Amino acid sequence: MFTQMTFKALEHRGWSERARIYDHYSGRFCRFGIAALIDAARISRGQSTLDVCCGTGEASLAAAARGAIVTGIDFSEEMIAEAKAKGGNVDFQVGDAEALIFDDAAFHRVINNFGTLDLADPDKAIAEAARVLKPGGRYAYTVWRGPDVSPLFRILPEVVSAHGTLDVDLPPAPPLFRFADREEAMGALSAAGFTDITFAGIPATLDFPLAELSDFFHHAFVRSTMVLERQEPAARARIEEALGESFQPFTENGIVHLPLPALVVSATRA
């Protein structure tokens, strides 16, 4: 049963299973945040930079292309293997965002591209980012905005609730959109010793064939896939049919053009 595993263990298993297909699914929309992330962190040539939750390494490689000296860490050995296979001048390592192995004040910059959503203890990870940053160093993360503005994150729970149940045997998880909330983000960052906190929107649109909707949801996400897999077969069939209907207003010529707004949040280590 899922409840016998921790949230962290389930996230680790889910992303490890997706490592080889990550770039085709999740990576297609996580790339939206990379340029904004690197700009917000003010990454430039010669700066030591840590990419936390680096996945298959796209943000790490982009930072290295700016001339930074980059280390990328991820808790999944499979993700790190995929990142290393891309080559590039990045030191990729298996590592835990909530217990970094690096010395205090080791980096000029720390970045996290949509990885905060997958952490069991994001406050601890933010505190660790502050610890390994040099005074005056810059931290930046990207995060999806919530159901108040994002059709994807509004439609999915509504459809599941209407045709199945959200009450499945999953372990407790941190609030998905907590760090897209300005008050929550400022509180957590300030508590970790950050100042000069800034927020900027990232407009993005996710395009995919409507016919591949079920395949996309199964492979692109971990949390939602766990919920869908715990539905009764008949309920899951109804959910998938209703999702297709719900995405029709965003579909043209068989292609879904789904707004997927995000935020980049950045701050300076005091």
Side-chain angles (χ1 to χ4, degrees), residues 2 13 18 218 224-231 236:
F2 281 145
R13 187 180 76 177
R18 288 162 172 76
H218 182 71
S224 61
T225 298
M226 289 190 288
V227 172
L228 291 172
E229 287 178 345
R230 303 308 293 166
Q231 307 297 316
R236 182 166 180 177

Side-chain angles (χ1 to χ4, degrees), residues 66-136:
R66 295 271 185 106
I69 302 165
V70 183
T71 300
I73 68 158
D74 197 276
F75 68 169
S76 167
E77 292 183 5
E78 290 81 0
M79 286 286 190
I80 291 299
E82 292 296 316
K84 287 181 175 179
K86 294 180 179 180
N89 189 25
V90 175
D91 178 18
F92 288 113
Q93 305 178 25
V94 177
D96 188 341
E98 297 163 8
L100 297 174
I101 63 171
F102 307 105
D103 292 336
D104 295 357
F107 295 95
H108 294 101
R109 300 289 186 266
V110 177
I111 57 175
N112 185 330
N113 191 43
F114 295 111
T116 304
L117 306 165
D118 305 312
L119 296 172
D121 191 344
D123 293 274
K124 189 172 183 180
I126 290 172
E128 279 288 273
R131 180 183 66 78
V132 303
L133 270 171
K134 299 179 185 295

